Amino acid sequence: MEKRSFGGTGVAVPVLGQGTWQMEDDDRASAIRALRAGLDLGLTHVDTAELYGRGKVEEHIVSEAIAGRRDEVFLVSKVMPSNATYAGTLAACERSLKGLRTDRLDCYLLHWPGPHPLEETVRAFEKLVKDGKIRSWGVSNFDVDDLEEALALAGPGRIACNQVLYHLEERSIEHGVIPWCEKHGVAVVGYSPFGNGSFPEPDSPGGKVLGAIARAHKATPYQVALQFLVRRPSLFAIPKASREAHVRDNAAAASVKLSADELARLDAAFPLGDEPEGLPVI
């Protein structure tokens, strides 16, 4: 599995990882097997959040999956905006560490801009770094204005990543967010890379282009989509898979190498569109 430097952290992280949103709704044993198979295949970037999994169910799934293998994993979690005061962020991190049965997170994110002053959240993140509870911190669902505020508070080199919605039919972050992140050395982590249930239909205009390129590589349209979404050095993706067969398909995307012509065809088949008023989220 290809690895890239994760923003300014200097840590090499797999370009494809494993998301876990809504995994609590899947068969627990199957989800744990899938996560473990993903680790075996090099998908060692594992993403979760305190919001995911009613009553910490999801963090417990992750903790069981990575038990005995913690040092292999680049483990990411997120604080809910409603908890993101200075004291609330520290307390939320402690709860997540307990739920995940670990002594540190590799990256800790603010899930989206919220009601509390961002200065308090950033100050708490830096305290957690100093105390060894987290190795780095970042943000999620931040538009350019939000990123500018975070940069002004933290200074250069502190924001490790921005985790945002990104799939073939939702490329809005290419207007401003990706260029901003690349300028400031911030990794861009795309969540819901298959569109959360809205993947292009095979008989749609875009789906036909996707299918043709997939057949040329003896790959699946999903694998081609993943490779398009990580085509730049700043980009990472965290597809969710709750079945071993699905996670193996995701991992196999690493062997698909798209040509410049194929990237251009996909770019034309799934046009960027106009810049929206706000940042799209799920």
Side-chain angles (χ1 to χ4, degrees):
M1 180 61 60
E2 178 188 357
K3 292 185 177 183
R4 296 173 180 168
S5 180
F6 197 73
T9 66
V11 179
V13 173
V15 65
L16 299 178
Q18 302 189 77
T20 62
W21 181 43
Q22 298 179 328
M23 192 170 275
E24 74 277 3
D25 296 329
D26 302 316
D27 179 78
R28 180 187 179 92
S30 176
I32 291 170
R33 285 196 299 271
L35 285 168
R36 288 175 176 167
L39 299 184
D40 293 339
L41 294 164
L43 279 65
T44 53
H45 173 184
V46 178
D47 178 85
T48 187
E50 68 167 340
L51 175 67
Y52 300 169
R54 300 172 293 274
K56 299 299 181 187
V57 172
E58 196 151 312
E59 285 187 343
H60 292 162
I61 290 173
V62 173
S63 72
E64 188 169 343
I66 67 173
R69 305 182 66 171
R70 175 64 186 90
D71 290 346
E72 299 175 41
V73 178
F74 187 85
L75 185 60
V76 180
S77 191
K78 310 179 195 74
V79 57
M80 289 176 57
S82 57
N83 291 334
T85 61
Y86 176 76
T89 300
L90 300 180
C93 185
E94 291 292 348
R95 290 193 299 270
S96 286
L97 291 174
K98 183 177 180 180
L100 291 163
R101 287 181 260 180
T102 185
D103 61 351
R104 83 279 185 195
L105 296 171
D106 294 288
C107 198
Y108 195 36
L109 314 183
L110 174 60
H111 211 144
W112 64 86
H116 301 298
L118 184 58
E119 180 179 9
E120 293 191 26
T121 315
V122 170
R123 186 161 62 93
F125 283 163
E126 293 293 355
K127 168 69 171 170
L128 290 166
V129 171
K130 181 179 179 182
D131 291 346
K133 300 295 179 68
I134 65 176
R135 294 175 65 187
S136 63
W137 62 267
V139 295
S140 181
N141 298 305
F142 268 44
D143 210 342
V144 171
D145 289 347
D146 304 312
L147 290 164
E148 288 284 4
E149 182 184 0
L151 178 65
L153 289 168
R158 302 306 300 159
I159 307 168
C161 73
N162 186 19
Q163 188 182 117
V164 283
L165 178 64
Y166 193 39
H167 57 85
L168 285 174
E169 296 180 330
E170 180 45 74
R171 297 172 55 192
S172 298
I173 61 170
E174 293 180 31
H175 284 291
V177 170
I178 289 179
W180 190 97
C181 289
E182 290 180 341
K183 177 180 177 181
H184 295 283
V186 175
V188 178
V189 180
Y191 69 78
S192 296
F194 301 137
N196 195 35
S198 61
F199 195 75
E201 293 291 336
D203 58 352
S204 67
K208 290 177 181 178
V209 174
L210 193 59
I213 294 172
R215 288 190 294 274
H217 288 271
K218 295 182 172 57
T220 69
Y222 293 91
Q223 291 164 350
V224 172
L226 281 177
Q227 273 303 302
F228 181 82
L229 297 171
V230 297
R231 66 197 184 280
R232 296 161 70 133
S234 62
L235 301 179
F236 299 77
I238 46 169
K240 173 209 169 191
S242 295
R243 295 178 293 107
E244 281 190 72
H246 189 183
V247 80
R248 292 185 187 283
D249 282 346
N250 290 344
S255 64
V256 178
K257 305 303 179 185
L258 301 177
S259 69
D261 176 69
E262 288 168 332
L263 291 173
R265 288 164 60 195
L266 289 166
D267 183 63
F270 299 96
L272 175 58
D274 297 331
E275 188 168 7
E277 290 281 331
L279 186 71
V281 300
I282 292 180

